[in-house]
Amino acid sequence: MGNFLKIAINSFRESLREPVYFLMLIVGVGLIAHFPSMALFVFSEQIKLVTDSAMATSMLFGLAVAVLCASNTIGRELRQGTILLLFSKPVSRGSFILAKIAGIAAAASYFILLCNIASVISLYVAVDQFRMNMTIYWVFIGTLACAGAIGMAFNYFKGESFAAAASLALGVLLAVFAAGCAIFGEHLEISVLNVVKALILIQFGGIIMSTLAVALATKFEMVGNLLCCTIIFMLGLLSGYLFNQPDAGGITGAISALLYALLPNWQYFWLADALAVNRTIPWEYVGFAALYTLFYLILAAGWTFALFRNQELAAGGVE
């Protein structure tokens, strides 16, 4: 258990230290901060546009970050052969790959969490269809700059990784800022609790993405991993239309049913339409999505272990 935690924590830290992690984070949060300005003069649809755009940004950027983290922390170790040093200690392959899944899923979840917090703040910026709350907007932009300044200070004075320090600082600053907006901000036309439930579902989708990215990282380099994850993502979005065919029989029906069961259905985690019409998202649905996520995690972890069990561990072990 001790080795498992150490590997998981190191994987999380290593992911945050990657410069591209903070770059993707600052770009994603920066986009979300500017969505209210793109939703002006849309005839009372600004909340819907901001919510839809922010959720899409969180999901798509989360997919890219999951692939980057998995490829950098697993693919690089397999390619360079440094993983052999780790296996010279009492660490099993199963414990290693599960710890990697936990660490990378934590890094991807943290990324999506910050995007989700930024999404809530953006709702307080989008006051109505004709104006923005400029005070919150400029504080939002200043928060991003402050996180970068903190990262530079830790890097200069303590030798810490700029990307990791800035990412962690941004998390603290955004959490405090969002709490301040909830307490002192103007009343929103949409239920914040309902938005939080929808964002929790996006978080579940990100966890599944990261697990799939880890599985594919054992066999593919970054480009191949990203391509495969993108295909799985697109097929999962359309799985209800492509493969949910109860009237189909024979081999075609069996194959469609199998693909529908195996592919993650991302529509379970996308409830922007419910938010658009102010429909309450029940906690029972969130619980069902959590069980679906747990089931898929078990399935994907087993698939990952099966791929990794016979993986070549010498340098150049990834195709």
Side-chain angles (χ1 to χ4, degrees):
M1 189 63 179
N3 289 332
F4 175 88
L5 290 176
K6 290 178 182 178
I7 296 173
I9 293 172
N10 287 336
S11 298
F12 175 77
R13 290 175 176 172
E14 186 177 350
S15 297
L16 263 62
R17 290 191 188 106
E18 293 292 336
V20 71
Y21 184 94
F22 181 70
L23 178 62
M24 294 285 291
L25 182 60
I26 206 72
V27 171
V29 174
L31 280 175
I32 293 172
H34 287 88
F35 284 145
S37 65
M38 303 175 190
L40 290 173
F41 308 108
V42 291
F43 303 103
S44 301
E45 293 292 329
Q46 76 281 0
I47 295 294
K48 180 181 184 300
L49 288 177
V50 170
T51 304
D52 287 3
S53 302
M55 291 174 63
T57 300
S58 298
M59 183 167 281
L60 292 176
F61 275 66
L63 170 63
V65 165
V67 172
L68 291 171
C69 291
S71 298
N72 285 332
T73 59
I74 294 181
R76 184 168 54 195
E77 290 186 8
L78 290 172
R79 183 172 61 253
Q80 297 177 351
T82 55
I83 193 174
L84 293 173
L85 179 62
L86 182 62
F87 282 125
S88 65
K89 301 177 180 180
V91 177
S92 65
R93 290 198 178 204
S95 178
F96 169 82
I97 202 64
L98 291 177
K100 286 293 184 181
I101 290 174
I104 293 169
S109 297
Y110 181 71
F111 181 95
I112 296 175
L113 175 63
L114 297 195
C115 289
N116 287 343
I117 296 174
S119 302
V120 174
I121 296 173
S122 284
L123 294 178
Y124 286 95
V125 177
V127 178
D128 58 45
Q129 58 186 325
F130 300 115
R131 68 185 179 93
M132 295 165 48
N133 189 321
M134 297 306 296
T135 301
I136 295 180
Y137 170 76
W138 285 115
V139 174
F140 200 169
I141 300 302
T143 299
L144 302 183
C146 186
I150 292 174
M152 287 189 290
F154 271 83
N155 178 258
Y156 183 79
F157 292 107
K158 293 192 174 183
E160 299 284 344
S161 166
F162 164 78
S167 299
L168 294 174
L170 184 59
V172 175
L173 294 173
L174 285 180
V176 173
F177 187 22
C181 291
I183 296 172
F184 303 107
E186 299 182 39
H187 177 72
L188 297 179
E189 298 178 359
I190 191 172
S191 170
V192 177
L193 179 60
N194 222 31
V195 173
V196 169
K197 292 177 184 177
L199 296 178
I200 289 174
L201 295 173
I202 295 293
Q203 202 83 31
F204 290 159
I207 294 173
I208 293 178
M209 289 180 198
S210 59
T211 308
L212 293 174
V214 172
L216 294 169
T218 62
K219 293 297 181 182
F220 299 105
E221 291 280 3
M222 184 182 297
V223 175
N225 193 347
L226 183 60
L227 177 62
C228 291
C229 285
T230 302
I231 292 173
I232 293 173
F233 180 74
M234 297 302 298
L235 289 177
L237 282 178
L238 301 173
S239 63
Y241 174 75
L242 295 176
F243 308 118
N244 188 18
Q245 302 176 4
D247 297 332
I251 297 178
T252 302
I255 294 175
S256 296
L258 179 63
L259 291 175
Y260 183 71
L262 291 180
L263 285 170
N265 192 334
W266 307 112
Q267 295 295 339
Y268 290 152
F269 310 110
W270 182 263
L271 293 186
D273 294 337
L275 293 178
V277 296
N278 284 327
R279 182 180 300 169
T280 301
I281 302 173
W283 282 111
E284 290 79 6
Y285 185 88
V286 178
F288 166 77
L291 290 176
Y292 179 84
T293 302
L294 179 61
F295 168 78
Y296 208 90
L297 281 178
I298 295 172
L299 178 66
W303 180 36
T304 307
F305 179 72
L307 290 174
F308 186 69
R309 186 170 62 177
N310 297 320
Q311 175 68 42
E312 175 62 48
L313 298 182
V318 181
E319 297 176 4

